[in-house]
Amino acid sequence: MKKQVRCPHCNTLLTLRASRCKKASEVCYMVVLQSCRGWQVCRYFRLKWSCPVNGGRTLCVDEAVQHWIGSDGKLIVLARPRIMGFYIDNFNYKEPMSIKRNVSYSAWHLPYWAVRVKSVLPVLRRNGYKQNLFAMQPYDLFCLLLTNPFAETLYKAGYGNLLRILDYRRVLHDDNYIAAVKIVLRNHYPLKSKDDVVMWLDMVESLIKLDKDVHNRHFVCPANLKQAHDRAMEQVRRKQELERRRTIAEKLRKDKKLAKSYVKRMNKYFDLLFTHGNIVIGVLKSVAEFEEEGKAMHHCVFANKYFAKENSLVMSARVGGERMETIEIDLRDCQLVQSRGVNNGISPYHDEIVALVNANLFQIRKLSGIA
């Protein structure tokens, strides 16, 4: 178990860690909020602490960025110049701060460690600010509270996490999401934690894709959020799969050139018919028949374009008029490649079908010109 001690100055519980490092150091950011002449200012300070083994502890505090926010939501950014590189902490603290035209230039990605509130504009307190940022950047939240009445309503109702993720996903102005959120507010639906908010938004996105009524409490406020989320996601998956199949089918139907090529290439095999008892095996004679075979047997003979394979002869085996298996024969050596039933399984007549095909391969060799 790690040894822990109490700091004699602040009584903080500390964990002792053995290390060969000659110097301990840490860098973090702190935000100070204060009002100045009708502006709300968010000041980002970098705190760099270092302590060598032989003593001489040092603490450097440097201001990196200032966000000046007007009562109308206008944002002005003052920041130090950046140094070339991809690190977050790449401000040049030797140069003075200046106004930056690019608002995204500054501290939107800086992970602040602490927030100190010295003073806040009265208009922000009127709009609901209660020193809870809900893990948002201060200027993001302040600009929303000053410019978006709906964001103000969400914050005052205690749905700060929902507000943050709506803003992050850029759907705060989407009418469908706003309608769903209003139902949540009206019914006091519990969406306090981040995980619940993310799951709920994914569910609403799925409902929109499914053309469901997001004004309806039945869909938007389910009794079991996880079950409703999983059900909506499964319905979306099925819809996407159906649309994909329809797209493929429509594309192949329109490809008349491919269909004509198949008929021209396989025409000499169309009269083949293998029979034994009530088993009848015949060649698929058109792209439309491939589509019907694929739908009935629930496999990929149509979706994977078996009719476009130069050396593949596809036949359908039926027993008493009912489809049993789909057969593929390699025309290069006239050998049976596969014989598949529904869902790529094996039918009760599999052995008889395979034996019947093998017994009649000589007919295919004759038509193919193979001795």
Side-chain angles (χ1 to χ4, degrees):
M1 184 176 179
K2 294 182 179 179
K3 186 177 179 180
Q4 293 181 326
V5 296
R6 291 280 181 182
C7 175
H9 300 287
C10 63
N11 201 36
T12 301
L13 185 62
L14 304 175
T15 300
L16 297 181
R17 178 170 58 88
S19 174
R20 294 185 178 181
C21 295
K22 298 297 182 180
K23 181 175 70 173
S25 62
E26 188 175 354
V27 176
C28 61
Y29 282 87
M30 181 180 71
V31 183
V32 176
L33 307 179
Q34 64 182 103
S35 58
C36 179
R37 299 182 181 180
W39 292 79
Q40 181 63 49
V41 188
C42 307
R43 306 176 65 186
Y44 286 78
F45 292 88
R46 185 191 70 164
L47 283 67
K48 185 176 182 180
W49 168 85
S50 61
C51 181
V53 173
N54 56 2
R57 182 183 61 183
T58 58
L59 175 65
C60 296
V61 180
D62 297 295
E63 189 169 11
V65 179
Q66 291 181 0
H67 288 142
W68 291 68
I69 306 168
S71 57
D72 58 351
K74 181 180 179 181
L75 175 64
I76 297 177
V77 178
L78 274 73
R80 298 187 187 275
R82 305 295 286 267
I83 302 172
M84 293 291 290
F86 57 88
Y87 291 102
I88 293 176
D89 185 27
N90 60 352
F91 293 99
N92 185 355
Y93 292 99
K94 295 181 180 180
E95 297 294 331
M97 287 192 291
S98 59
I99 295 177
K100 304 301 179 183
R101 294 183 180 179
N102 186 1
V103 174
S104 63
Y105 167 91
S106 54
W108 63 268
H109 57 283
L110 290 180
Y112 56 85
W113 167 72
V115 178
R116 181 181 179 187
V117 182
K118 298 186 69 176
S119 57
V120 178
L121 288 178
V123 65
L124 282 172
R125 296 195 182 277
R126 183 202 69 185
N127 289 5
Y129 176 66
K130 297 180 180 179
Q131 299 188 13
N132 190 344
L133 295 174
F134 290 100
M136 297 177 68
Q137 288 291 350
Y139 67 90
D140 271 342
L141 177 60
F142 292 162
C143 288
L144 285 174
L145 292 178
L146 292 170
T147 61
N148 192 319
F150 188 63
E152 177 186 343
T153 301
L154 280 176
Y155 187 89
K156 287 180 177 178
Y159 289 90
N161 286 316
L162 179 58
L163 171 62
R164 174 169 64 90
I165 299 177
L166 283 171
D167 181 57
Y168 167 73
R169 295 192 178 187
R170 299 295 187 265
V171 294
L172 192 56
H173 300 281
D174 190 302
D175 292 339
N176 288 318
Y177 286 92
I178 290 177
V181 172
K182 286 181 178 178
I183 299 296
V184 166
L185 295 176
R186 190 176 305 146
N187 292 275
H188 304 288
Y189 192 65
L191 286 178
K192 303 301 182 181
S193 70
K194 176 185 173 183
D195 293 338
D196 287 345
V197 169
V198 172
M199 188 182 301
W200 182 83
L201 283 174
D202 289 341
M203 182 194 71
V204 172
E205 183 179 354
S206 300
L207 293 175
I208 294 172
K209 291 179 180 178
L210 294 169
D211 297 324
K212 300 291 186 180
D213 183 11
V214 292
H215 297 75
N216 192 324
R217 180 181 179 275
H218 171 74
F219 294 113
V220 176
C221 301
N224 191 314
L225 178 59
K226 187 177 186 309
Q227 288 183 3
H229 167 271
D230 295 344
R231 182 169 58 251
M233 295 295 289
E234 177 62 20
Q235 290 175 354
V236 168
R237 188 195 65 78
R238 291 178 183 175
K239 181 180 179 181
Q240 291 174 342
E241 179 65 18
L242 182 60
E243 290 175 351
R244 185 186 69 85
R245 291 180 179 178
R246 286 176 178 172
T247 301
I248 293 173
E250 188 65 25
K251 181 179 178 181
L252 294 175
R253 283 194 206 98
K254 292 179 179 179
D255 198 345
K256 296 181 180 180
K257 184 178 179 181
L258 193 60
K260 290 180 180 179
S261 173
Y262 173 76
V263 173
K264 183 178 179 180
R265 189 175 69 253
M266 296 295 178
N267 183 47
K268 59 185 176 181
Y269 301 103
F270 286 171
D271 293 331
L272 286 175
L273 197 66
F274 308 154
T275 61
H276 178 73
N278 59 347
I279 301 176
V280 179
I281 301 176
V283 178
L284 297 180
K285 299 178 181 179
S286 67
V287 173
E289 291 189 8
F290 274 86
E291 183 180 359
E292 293 173 2
E293 186 81 5
K295 286 182 179 179
M297 304 297 286
H298 302 288
H299 54 46
C300 59
V301 70
F302 175 69
N304 286 356
K305 301 183 181 180
Y306 273 74
F307 49 83
K309 297 183 178 182
E310 292 288 337
N311 299 303
S312 180
L313 177 65
V314 179
M315 307 181 76
S316 178
R318 306 189 183 197
V319 177
E322 182 182 354
R323 301 176 195 267
M324 281 294 159
E325 292 192 5
T326 306
I327 302 151
E328 182 188 8
I329 298 170
D330 188 348
L331 293 177
R332 291 173 297 184
D333 54 7
C334 291
Q335 295 295 323
L336 177 65
V337 177
Q338 59 180 333
S339 183
R340 302 289 182 180
V342 178
N343 293 320
N344 286 314
I346 296 176
S347 73
Y349 297 89
H350 176 74
D351 293 338
E352 297 176 53
I353 292 171
V354 170
L356 181 58
V357 171
N358 288 329
N360 289 276
L361 286 177
F362 72 93
Q363 297 187 45
I364 301 175
R365 293 193 184 95
K366 183 177 180 181
L367 293 173
S368 302
I370 301 176

